[in-house]
């Protein structure tokens, strides 16, 4: 695994990760190729240089947790910092040959995350309801 505090600002493609990101340090990336940055462990604060094409309140800042990823298009600059005080983060850079495919992959991953979160909420609600039913019938929940 590579060392912390790496700055890639060349027009070449940085080496694939994973990379450790120590608390209080930043990782800057500007690549000639498109790629995905994925958080392997911990949390990061990701900031894109502007201008930002989104809504007026979009300042290019994102907080990403383990398992989440963000797309970096050719020529964009992204700065990453560990988001949790005193905790190291681990990040991974993966260049992609097909940016459109990578965007579709990123969207599918977000859909899967949302589906999993919804399923988790449904299971917790079902468990609460079963506990209520068991309590109403004089049984202790298992």
């Amino acid at each position: 695994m590579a060392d912390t505090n790496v700055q890639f600002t060349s027009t070449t493609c940085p080496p694939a990760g994973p990379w450790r990101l120590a608390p209080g340090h930043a990782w800057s990336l500007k690549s000639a190729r498109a790629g995905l940055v994925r958080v392997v462990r911990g949390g990061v604060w990701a900031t894109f240089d502007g201008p930002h094409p989104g809504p007026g309140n979009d300042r290019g800042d994102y907080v990403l947790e383990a398992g989440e990823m963000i797309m970096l298009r050719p020529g964009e600059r992204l700065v990453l910092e560990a988001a949790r005080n005193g905790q190291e983060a681990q990040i991974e850079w993966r260049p992609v040959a097909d940016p459109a495919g990578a965007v579709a992959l990123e969207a599918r991953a977000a859909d899967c995350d949302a589906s999993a979160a919804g399923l988790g909420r449904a299971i917790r609600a079902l468990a609460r309801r079963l506990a209520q039913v068991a309590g109403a019938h004089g049984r202790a929940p298992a």
Side-chain angles (χ1 to χ4, degrees):
M1 185 176 310
D3 202 359
T4 59
N5 305 324
V6 177
Q7 183 172 15
F8 297 107
T9 54
S10 68
T11 56
T12 62
C13 184
W19 296 89
R20 290 187 313 257
L21 184 57
H25 294 89
W27 192 72
S28 178
L29 171 64
K30 182 176 182 180
S31 176
R33 291 185 56 195
L36 291 172
V37 175
R38 184 175 74 90
V39 180
V40 177
R41 182 171 44 92
V44 299
W45 180 13
T47 303
F48 282 100
D49 275 353
H52 307 290
N57 63 346
D58 182 0
R59 300 291 183 241
D61 293 327
Y62 301 89
V63 175
L64 304 172
E65 297 296 329
E68 294 182 315
M69 62 184 126
I70 196 164
M71 177 74 184
L72 183 67
R73 290 174 177 78
E76 283 184 318
R77 184 170 171 271
L78 180 68
V79 177
L80 298 163
E81 299 176 59
R84 298 186 187 138
N85 289 338
Q87 291 186 10
E88 178 181 276
Q90 188 177 5
I91 51 179
E92 182 176 70
W93 160 256
R94 296 284 176 191
V96 294
D98 177 16
V103 169
L105 174 65
E106 185 178 12
R108 281 194 301 271
D111 288 345
C112 288
D113 287 347
S115 296
L119 180 59
R121 285 190 300 274
I123 290 171
R124 285 189 297 278
L126 177 60
R128 284 191 302 272
R129 183 65 184 135
L130 288 173
Q132 290 170 347
V133 169
H137 288 81
R139 297 186 202 125

